[in-house]
Every structure is written in C-alpha cells, then in structure tokens.
Amino acid sequence: MPTRSLLVLAGVLLSAAACRDETVSPTEPTWSATGPEAAVISNTWLVKRDLWTNQYSDFAAATVTDAAGQSTVYVIGGRSSTFGSLGKVMAYTVASNTWSAKAPLPISLYRSNGAAVINGRIYISGGVRKYKSYQDRLYVYDPAANSWTAKHVMPTNGFDGLTGVINNQLYVVTGCHSQEEDCGLYYPGGDHPDRWLFRYDPPTDTWTELAVPPFFGAPVGGTIGGKLFLGVPGSSVLHVYDPATNLWTERPIPRVIRSGSAFVTLGAKLYMIGGYQGVTAVRTTSVYDPATNAWTNKAPLPTARAWGAAARVVVGGQIGIELVAGARPGNNLQYRP
C-alpha cells in the first residue's frame, strides 16, 4: 500500500502550475487566537484547544449537534505519529472548548470511508486495520450510550472512501486495493471495478450497489443539494452523482484539487482546506460554488495543515467549521464564515 509521501507526489504534482491563483488577498482576515466569542469577526480562523493525543492523520471526523444546539466533534481512529493504527475516539465539545475520551472503536482503523451522522448517530465503514488488512465492517456510535454497534458489513471490503447522507441514507464511495485477489463482489470472468458506490439503509440494515463511479483514486468532496460532488487529487473535474437517476456526470472546474486537503460542505458550497500545492503544504481555504462553477479564497489557515478532517459545527447559533489536522500546537482550528 502506498505511503502518504508517495500519494502526495502522485496526486498533486499536476497542481503546481494550475493552483497559482490560490494566493490570498492581503486584505482578507487571517486568524485569531481563542478569545471572547462576541469579539469574533466573520471570515476568521480561531485557534482552539489542541487535540491531546498522538493521532495525527488518516482519521475520520463527524459532528453531533444536540437538541440545545450544542455541537460535539468526534475524531475517530486514525494513525499515530509512528503510523500505528488507532481505535481511539476523542470528542471535542465546542461550547466548553474541551476534549474527552469516548468508547473506542471495536477495532483499530485508519483510512476509512469517512464518517456521517443520521438521527444523532455516527456511521463509519471500511478502512485499514493494518497493512493489507482491508475492512468491510460498518459500525454505528450512539453518543447517548457511548457505545458502538456492528451493523451489516459492506458488500466488499474498502478503504480511502467518502460517505455522504441523502434522505437519511448513507452513500458510500469506496475502493479496494487493485492488487488484491479478493475485493469482495463477484463479477463474471473474475473482473471487478476498483471503486464502488453503495447505499446503506439504516432501518433495514441493508446495502445496495449503485452506479460504478467513473474515476479511480481516493475521492474527496461532499453532498450538496441531494447530490454527491466528488473529485480526486490532481484532477480539475468534479464528478456529480444524482440518486434520482443513478447517474454520474462530469463537471470541469477551474482549479486543481489539492492532495491532503480537508473537505466539508457549508451553505451549499464545498470547502477545500489546506493540503498540498505541488509538494508544499499550504494554508489556503478554497470555496467552490456549484451555482457558478467558480472558486473563491477565504481566510487562510494560521499554519499549513494537511491530512486532517473537517466537520460542520454550531457555535453560538451560527454554523462554522472545525478542522483537526496535524501535530500540536494548533491542530484544532475553527472557521467562522
């Protein structure tokens, strides 16, 4: 399995020239240290309390917001600074700016298909337990009970994928290792795609195979307007999946997707945060508007960050973004639009 350094080189060398427009205007707000919420201005990154474990990369993140509008960000699994897989689950309570340990995953896991929330519960599938140990498992976390439950396994093992929620169902794009003899699903003649799209229905605990994604590589992106908007690092194309038609369409975009960036949707727009421009980690916050097919830059990160995860949060009744990425200090950042 390729190392992260090889993935960086393979996925982003194409982006060096095309990303020169990502310079941030000097008039834009940049960042602020943690302070009184009333003093926070818009388009600002705030430095929040560091994640205090040694898990630096390849984790999943998801936010559960309770009935009172209080958000908790869960950082799930990942790899330590020595690249060992982790089963740790850390919870960041936005209102109190504090971290706490929660019930660990049933198995250690990194490079999963991401995490998503339905009805206050977190779903996470696939991933890697150790070298060439690819998983087909689906786990659900109940914050109220602080417990994990195993659900019906995916139709195939998979990792490095992406999960979105549409109409309270999970849409999981995943892939297997192309050199493995058994990637799960059987195809006549022994052939199989390298990537799949599945839909999971929580009430029936069942999976359905959908249209094969028309790309290869670890997808990034999000869900906007009931559709999946996905791309792969080094590409200048977004692939849009419409569940109403079970079809994929291509949308060329005027920017190369950066490797190692964190992605999240906010206000019907797709945020691409940090990552690598060429082989250099950057501070850039890029925002894609599907209505205009255009990108704009927002306030840059306080420091360059890559291989993290981002999630929407509610802060003082307003929607923002929490980014957890990299080593301490400064590995927990909050964006106010």
Side-chain angles (χ1 to χ4, degrees):
M1 185 167 57
T3 63
R4 276 300 184 196
S5 59
L6 290 177
L7 288 172
V8 170
L9 291 172
V12 301
L13 286 174
L14 294 176
S15 67
C19 291
R20 289 173 185 163
D21 62 338
E22 297 188 1
T23 303
V24 177
S25 167
T27 61
E28 293 178 346
T30 53
W31 66 281
S32 170
T34 303
E37 301 296 339
V40 176
I41 59 176
S42 62
N43 189 28
T44 303
W45 284 99
L46 303 174
V47 178
K48 294 296 184 176
R49 190 178 299 276
D50 283 336
L51 173 66
W52 44 266
T53 72
N54 63 345
Q55 55 195 63
Y56 293 149
S57 64
D58 298 318
F59 49 77
T63 300
V64 175
T65 300
D66 63 22
Q70 301 297 318
S71 289
T72 301
V73 180
Y74 293 83
V75 175
I76 305 166
R79 283 202 284 191
S80 69
S81 57
T82 57
F83 301 105
S85 62
L86 298 168
K88 292 181 179 180
V89 177
M90 304 299 299
Y92 174 70
T93 304
V94 174
S96 61
N97 191 31
T98 57
W99 288 92
S100 59
K102 298 297 181 179
L105 279 164
I107 61 173
S108 59
L109 202 65
Y110 65 92
R111 294 174 69 181
S112 70
N113 298 317
V117 177
I118 298 178
N119 295 327
R121 290 176 170 84
I122 301 173
Y123 293 74
I124 184 169
S125 68
V128 184
R129 189 172 187 180
K130 59 183 180 179
Y131 181 60
K132 285 196 172 182
S133 177
Y134 310 112
Q135 301 298 306
D136 59 3
R137 305 183 192 190
L138 172 67
Y139 293 110
V140 180
Y141 177 73
D142 182 350
N146 187 31
S147 63
W148 290 91
T149 303
K151 295 295 185 179
H152 198 288
V153 297
M154 294 191 302
T156 179
N157 58 66
F159 71 107
D160 257 353
L162 184 143
T163 300
V165 175
I166 302 173
N167 294 328
N168 285 329
Q169 294 178 313
L170 295 180
Y171 285 77
V172 179
V173 178
T174 189
C176 71
H177 197 289
S178 60
Q179 296 180 356
E180 289 297 289
E181 294 181 0
D182 181 12
C183 281
L185 293 177
Y186 171 77
Y187 284 82
D191 195 14
H192 59 78
D194 290 309
R195 190 155 296 282
W196 291 278
L197 170 63
F198 299 118
R199 180 178 62 229
Y200 174 77
D201 182 53
T204 61
D205 192 26
T206 56
W207 292 90
T208 302
E209 183 183 1
L210 302 173
V212 176
F215 56 84
F216 178 77
V220 292
T223 304
I224 302 175
K227 298 178 181 180
L228 297 177
F229 285 74
L230 307 183
V232 293
S235 170
S236 56
V237 173
L238 283 176
H239 302 271
V240 183
Y241 175 77
D242 186 348
T245 60
N246 191 31
L247 294 174
W248 291 91
T249 57
E250 289 189 357
R251 179 180 292 197
I253 55 174
R255 183 159 298 188
V256 173
I257 298 170
R258 297 191 298 272
S259 177
S261 296
F263 280 76
V264 65
T265 56
L266 181 67
K269 296 179 181 179
L270 184 62
Y271 282 69
M272 176 171 62
I273 307 168
Y276 286 87
Q277 181 175 311
V279 294
T280 303
V282 298
R283 300 166 53 202
T284 313
T285 303
S286 306
V287 183
Y288 174 73
D289 186 348
T292 60
N293 196 40
W295 291 85
T296 56
N297 290 331
K298 297 297 183 179
L301 297 167
T303 57
R305 295 282 160 176
W307 304 121
R312 291 191 300 269
V313 293
V314 177
V315 186
Q318 302 297 315
I319 303 296
I321 296 171
E322 203 78 24
L323 172 71
V324 182
R328 296 174 293 179
N331 65 6
N332 180 26
L333 303 170
Q334 191 177 99
Y335 179 72
R336 303 296 180 81

